[in-house]
Structure formats: C-alpha cells, structure tokens
Amino acid sequence: MINIPKGTKDVLPSESYKWQYVEGMAREVSKLFNLKEIRTPVFEHTELFSRGVGETTDVVTKEMYTFKDKGDRSITLKPEGTAGAVRSFIENGLVNGVLPAKLYYIIPAFRYERPQAGRLREFHQFGVEIFGAKTADTDAEAIIIADTLLKKLGLKVKVKINSIGCPACRKAYNRALKEFFAPYLDELCFDCKSRFEKNPLRLLDCKEDDCKRINVNAPQILDYLCADCSSHFEDLKNYLTTAGVEYEIDSRIVRGLDYYTRTVFEFTSTAIGAQGTVCGGGRYDGLIEQLGGKECPAVGFAVGIERLLMLMEQTGVSIPDDEKPTVYIAGMDENCRKKAFEICAKLRTAGVIAEIDHMERSIKAQFKYADKLGAKYVAVIGGNELEQGVMNVKNMSNGESESVGFDLAVEYFLGK
Ligand code: HAM
C-alpha cells in the first residue's frame, strides 16, 4: 500500500461539508467587502519567493518545496499567497487600473515544516490582499474582514496588533536590537547568529528556547516608531474602536515573513495548542515595488483553514451538516427498480435531491441504506404500486405514509 505523504491530509467525504461551509462563508464575507477572487498558479519561479518573502525567513531558508523542472528552471510550490498575487497584479497591469484592488484567494500552500497538530506541509489559506491604499482605515478594514469571518463562524478570537515601522524607523530599531543582543551572541542559536548580521528583527521570531529567553527583555519597536508610523498606528487603533473591534497591543508580534511594514496583526487562540495563530497579516508597502512594480502600498492577511476547523471543533462550534436526500426511491423487483430509476431521473432534472439503489439490495436493506443517507422520505414501488402507477411515500420523521401517483412525484417533492 502507498501511504499519504507526511504532513498532508485527505479531506474525506464525511468531512468535506465542513470545508465547503468555511469556504462558502469566506466567499460570502468577501462579497460583503467587495473583494474579487484572484487565482494564481500553485507553483512560481523560486526567485519570486526568495525576493518577496525574504532571504532570512525560515520559510525561504528551510521550508520551500523547490525543484528543477525539465527545462532546468528553479520552481517552488507556493509557501503562501501574497507573493503570487503581487506578481499577477504587476504582470497584468492591474497596478494601473482602478485602485484599491481588493482581492481574495483560497489556496493550498506548501511548507516543509515538522508536522504537528495544526502544522502541515500542505495546508490551505483564505487570503485577502488590498493593493493601492496607504491610509490606516485600510489596515482596519483588513482586520475587520478577518474579524467578520471569524465571528460569522462562531469563534471568539481577539486580534493582537503591533507596528513594526517603516525602513526609516527600522534602522534605529535594528541598531538598538544589535546593541541589546551583542553581549548574548555566544548564547544565540546558529540561525540567530546570522540573523544578527542580516536582519536583527528576525531574532525576535526565533522558536529556540534559549533565544526566546533572551528576547524577553529586547527593546520594543513601538518605542522607536517615527512620527508618521506612530500616527498611522494611532489612526488604526481609532478605526478599530469605531468599528467595535476589540484588540490588544502586542509589541512582540513581528511576523515570520520579511515584507511587512507598519501594521502587523494576528488572531490567536490557546484552544488549539502550540500552533494557535489562525490568522496573520499586515501592511507591506514596499513589496510591489521590490518585485518590479510601481510604488504601491498594500495590506492583507491569511487565515489557515485547517487551524480554523480545529478551533471550531475544539470550541464546540457546530457546522451545518451536508444536504440530505429529499427522497430515496426503493424498488421491490427489477421492473420496480427501473421505474424508480425513471422517476429519480425526473426528480433530479427538476432539482429534487433524490437517490436510488445501485447495489441490488433487498427492500429491507434499501430502507436501512436510505436511513443511513438521512433521506427525508422513502418512496416504495412494489408490484401492486407499479400496476396502479403510484408509490408509497413514507415521511421518515413522523412515520406517516401516503400514496403518490408517478406523474405527481415532481410536484409532490418540489419544495419538501
Ligand atoms: P503566515 O502567518 O505565514 O502569513 O500564514 C497565515 C496563516 O496560515 C497562519 O496564521 C496559519 O493559520 C496558517 N499556516 C501557516 N503555516 C501553516 C502550516 N504549516 N500548517 C497549517 N497552517 C499554517 C502568510 O502566509 C501571509 N501571506 C499572510 C498575508 C497576506 N500577509 C499579508 N497578506
């Protein structure tokens, strides 16, 4: 037997209705906020991610699924959705179109991580990107979109926000970080030693216990924001308050990807263990230009669908079950089955969810099967019924039966 690759999951028919529900809600919320769907390839040129996501991030240095194709090009399965959306936005000239461009996507993403609960190698994201708007009401809108989705799904999760400033204030902060970490250089992990040189902000994102212990007392970015970044952050807080979105300021949020500027945010929960971040995002004003486009501000986020489903399960949020068949038509013998087949076809054409037997079951076994499917009605056609042109319809919720003519079947079941 060939097994499923480590860190991936099948969504079985018994579970897929949950995915459809969450994805349906994500599309509904997207509509509410006037977001349009963008679909980009599952793989891109590796350079898009190394330049876009950042050379010093764990995602790029350790986690990408990268391979050479037969044309000797370096290709990578997308580890996240932002870089691909930005590439497409630039390549299709949307940067010259009507702004802001408000986009969403539902995608598989791939990261070679150590699998554990809530951490997979293939996972799925609902992501939102808003291109072209620089004011803090847009950052607030991104947060409100995520908040609306989470609330509509019945979850109580609070957003944590922070600002990591712009390249100007980051310079002063990086200097302060280097001064702080310099005495601890020997104690830092191998990766952090190189982060210290290349991108000190990444030191704050290290998962190693020793580094985390040292990080606790590191200087805080909020103390180093320039006047513009400070007032942007103040505006954001005011907009969130206006919209009635509760938030918490967490100066430790720096995010794991390099493209962020100013606002960063995360929705986390302790109910699903160590991998508690269900949604992460922020502003990334430099990325579009960095990937070859015009100067164009942007903000967005992504929700991890597996973590969302885990959280819904852990917190007892029930998901409306799949649609059940309205009617199961059982046939007693071969001729009756043929009639059942014919009526079933008519019902389906009219839009009634109907089912019949395909396994040559006995009438008793057909009833059992209809029950398993959760059919609301079971219509039985026996020899007598076939002669009289009727079927005996049993309402499975109250046990009552009545006779319904074959020619009235569609009329009878429509709207049941
Ligand atoms: P991210 O924080 O790397 O951000 O991922 C967003 C969400 O995807 C996480 O909060 C988590 O729920 C889920 N996720 C990430 N890695 C895994 C994994 N290995 N297994 C299961 N779920 C995972 C981004 O990807 C950014 N592109 C978000 C963004 C959009 N920022 C601006 N625009």
Side-chain angles (χ1 to χ4, degrees):
M1 193 181 70
I2 299 168
N3 294 324
I4 193 168
K6 198 173 164 188
T8 65
K9 267 191 181 154
D10 295 315
V11 177
L12 298 176
S14 56
E15 295 276 302
S16 51
Y17 73 93
K18 298 181 184 173
W19 283 75
Q20 288 169 6
Y21 177 74
V22 168
E23 289 168 6
M25 197 63 92
R27 291 182 193 280
E28 200 178 289
V29 169
S30 298
K31 234 185 230 171
L32 191 63
F33 286 86
N34 194 31
L35 302 158
K36 302 279 183 245
E37 186 175 13
I38 184 165
R39 299 190 187 198
T40 61
V42 163
F43 58 84
E44 298 270 1
H45 293 294
T46 301
E47 194 190 352
L48 176 70
F49 303 114
S50 46
R51 267 172 55 192
V53 171
E55 298 280 9
T56 56
T57 58
D58 279 355
V59 170
V60 168
T61 54
K62 302 178 188 164
E63 296 169 1
M64 294 208 299
Y65 278 88
T66 298
F67 57 95
K68 283 275 174 79
D69 72 4
K70 292 199 190 328
D72 207 32
R73 287 170 284 255
S74 181
I75 293 292
T76 294
L77 302 185
K78 60 178 159 199
E80 56 96 59
T82 308
V86 168
R87 185 219 22 87
S88 174
F89 178 70
I90 300 169
E91 193 168 348
N92 291 292
L94 303 181
V95 70
N96 300 313
V98 179
L99 297 176
K102 298 175 70 175
L103 310 172
Y104 83 91
Y105 48 82
I106 297 174
I107 55 161
F110 306 86
R111 296 184 193 176
Y112 192 80
E113 296 197 75
R114 208 154 21 87
Q116 63 178 78
R119 191 162 71 193
L120 292 138
R121 291 182 174 171
E122 184 194 32
F123 59 100
H124 297 79
Q125 290 185 336
F126 162 63
V128 166
E129 314 293 351
I130 305 176
F131 298 141
K134 64 174 189 292
T135 49
D137 52 292
T138 323
D139 309 45
E141 181 158 308
I143 292 172
I144 294 165
I145 296 168
D147 191 64
T148 304
L149 175 65
L150 296 170
K151 281 187 180 141
K152 273 187 184 279
L153 291 172
L155 296 170
K156 293 187 190 75
V157 214
K158 210 195 263 171
V159 66
K160 292 181 181 166
I161 60 171
N162 189 24
S163 173
I164 56 168
C166 63
C169 37
R170 194 86 60 77
K171 248 188 211 155
Y173 183 55
N174 278 345
R175 251 197 321 271
L177 281 178
K178 279 187 136 179
E179 258 167 43
F180 171 82
F181 280 108
Y184 301 104
L185 253 184
D186 286 348
E187 295 168 54
L188 295 175
C189 73
F190 178 78
D191 287 338
C192 277
K193 288 194 176 85
S194 108
R195 289 171 181 142
F196 178 86
E197 292 303 333
K198 291 186 188 151
N199 188 358
L201 194 69
R202 286 267 75 83
L203 287 159
L204 302 176
D205 197 35
C206 185
K207 314 280 181 305
E208 298 293 326
D209 285 342
D210 281 347
C211 301
K212 279 208 270 194
R213 183 179 43 79
I214 299 167
N215 286 348
V216 174
N217 298 315
Q220 304 209 344
I221 177 77
L222 289 179
D223 296 329
Y224 291 81
L225 293 186
C226 65
D228 283 352
C229 288
S230 266
S231 90
H232 188 92
F233 196 48
E234 282 309 307
D235 288 348
L236 168 66
K237 289 188 271 181
N238 289 332
Y239 281 119
L240 290 177
T241 305
T242 304
V245 174
E246 266 188 71
Y247 63 85
E248 204 176 285
I249 295 168
D250 183 347
S251 63
R252 307 210 54 78
I253 296 178
V254 293
R255 310 277 301 126
L257 314 167
D258 271 352
Y259 44 66
Y260 293 106
T261 52
R262 294 192 164 170
T263 308
V264 285
F265 60 89
E266 287 179 355
F267 289 78
T268 45
S269 163
T270 47
I272 48 171
Q275 304 304 318
T277 310
V278 282
C279 170
R283 178 165 279 285
Y284 49 98
D285 288 345
L287 184 61
I288 296 175
E289 199 178 6
Q290 196 185 316
L291 290 177
K294 287 187 192 166
E295 189 184 339
C296 183
V299 60
F301 69 83
V303 173
I305 299 182
E306 284 83 356
R307 288 192 196 168
L308 200 63
L309 287 166
M310 264 175 78
L311 185 58
M312 290 169 78
E313 191 151 328
Q314 292 295 321
T315 51
V317 175
S318 71
I319 299 179
D321 204 345
D322 235 355
E323 198 86 57
K324 307 278 190 218
T326 302
V327 55
Y328 180 93
I329 313 167
M332 207 74 95
D333 58 24
E334 204 186 326
N335 284 336
C336 299
R337 284 168 186 280
K338 284 189 174 150
K339 195 65 185 175
F341 179 92
E342 181 191 322
I343 294 174
C344 184
K346 280 196 184 130
L347 286 170
R348 286 172 175 165
T349 304
V352 176
I353 310 176
E355 190 53 282
I356 49 168
D357 176 53
H358 294 286
M359 303 295 292
E360 301 178 306
R361 290 180 171 90
S362 68
I363 213 66
K364 195 171 152 203
Q366 287 188 60
F367 257 96
K368 248 193 186 165
Y369 177 56
D371 203 43
K372 214 179 236 168
L373 292 179
K376 295 176 198 154
Y377 295 86
V378 177
V380 182
I381 305 174
N384 287 343
E385 282 85 6
L386 191 60
E387 252 173 45
Q388 292 163 21
V390 297
M391 42 194 196
N392 187 19
V393 178
K394 184 172 176 188
N395 180 331
M396 300 301 278
S397 60
N398 61 17
E400 284 171 12
S401 292
E402 62 182 317
S403 212
V404 175
F406 292 154
D407 49 347
L408 293 175
V410 167
E411 201 178 306
Y412 183 85
F413 286 113
L414 258 184
K416 285 272 191 207

